[in-house]
Amino acid sequence: MKKFLISLLLMLPLAFSAHAQQKIGVVNTAAIMEALPDVKAATTKIQDLAKQYDSEIKRMQDELKVKLEAYQKEEASMTDVIKKRRQQELQEMESRTQNSYQMMQEEIQKEQEKLMAPIRTKVTTAINKVCEANGCAYIFESGALLAMGSSALDLTQAVKDALGIKATAAAAAAPKATGRK
């Protein structure tokens, strides 16, 4: 038993040194997503859908406003039965407008998820390929790190290259300015 513990203690530094030599990469997925034409196209589709829904909600709100103003003008001359019926009508219109707004927001979220899911999958696949190609043990999101050592590999451009995104002049100059590749 003693020999086992001694050999285990002797092997422990070797295990830590093996971990210390593993490559760690970082990527900025926000920069990658921002540069993808697919994301721009999806964003435009979502914005167009949101504009359509906004105009429909505005139409419903305008209709409600007109009916409310008409009710307020005629309220003094209405019988109690007509008042109650009109109030109920106005409440139902307001409820329909709110329900429509909520349904439209949910539809926008569903459409956004439908359009963005394949893009996220494509980016994740590219990150995995770059990770393997560079022999990295781990790749972290650069935006979530508090500090990054000089030995960490910034693989953002490599992932962009894997996705076919060309480097812009400003982006190509940035790694030179920071001293990192």
Side-chain angles (χ1 to χ4, degrees), residues 71 75 78-88:
Y71 169 78
E75 181 181 16
M78 290 182 195
T79 64
D80 287 343
V81 173
I82 294 174
K83 270 187 196 179
K84 284 183 182 182
R85 189 177 59 79
R86 290 264 185 99
Q87 287 171 350
Q88 184 178 8

Side-chain angles (χ1 to χ4, degrees), residues 2 17-18 25 58 62 166:
K2 271 187 174 181
S17 69
K58 183 171 180 356
D62 290 346
K166 300 295 179 215

Side-chain angles (χ1 to χ4, degrees), residues 107-123:
E107 191 61 35
I108 288 171
Q109 284 181 320
K110 286 178 188 175
E111 187 67 18
Q112 184 173 16
E113 182 57 34
K114 183 179 103 179
L115 292 172
M116 295 303 288
I119 297 169
R120 281 192 297 273
T121 300
K122 187 163 102 172
V123 170

Side-chain angles (χ1 to χ4, degrees), residues 40-54:
K40 293 173 186 167
T43 301
T44 301
K45 283 183 182 179
I46 297 298
Q47 289 171 344
D48 290 346
L49 183 63
K51 284 178 188 176
Q52 288 176 359
Y53 287 163
D54 285 346

Side-chain angles (χ1 to χ4, degrees), residues 21-22 29 64 88 93 136 147 172 178:
Q21 294 176 3
Q22 290 180 340
T29 54
L64 177 62
Q88 184 178 8
M93 282 183 76
C136 291
T178 61

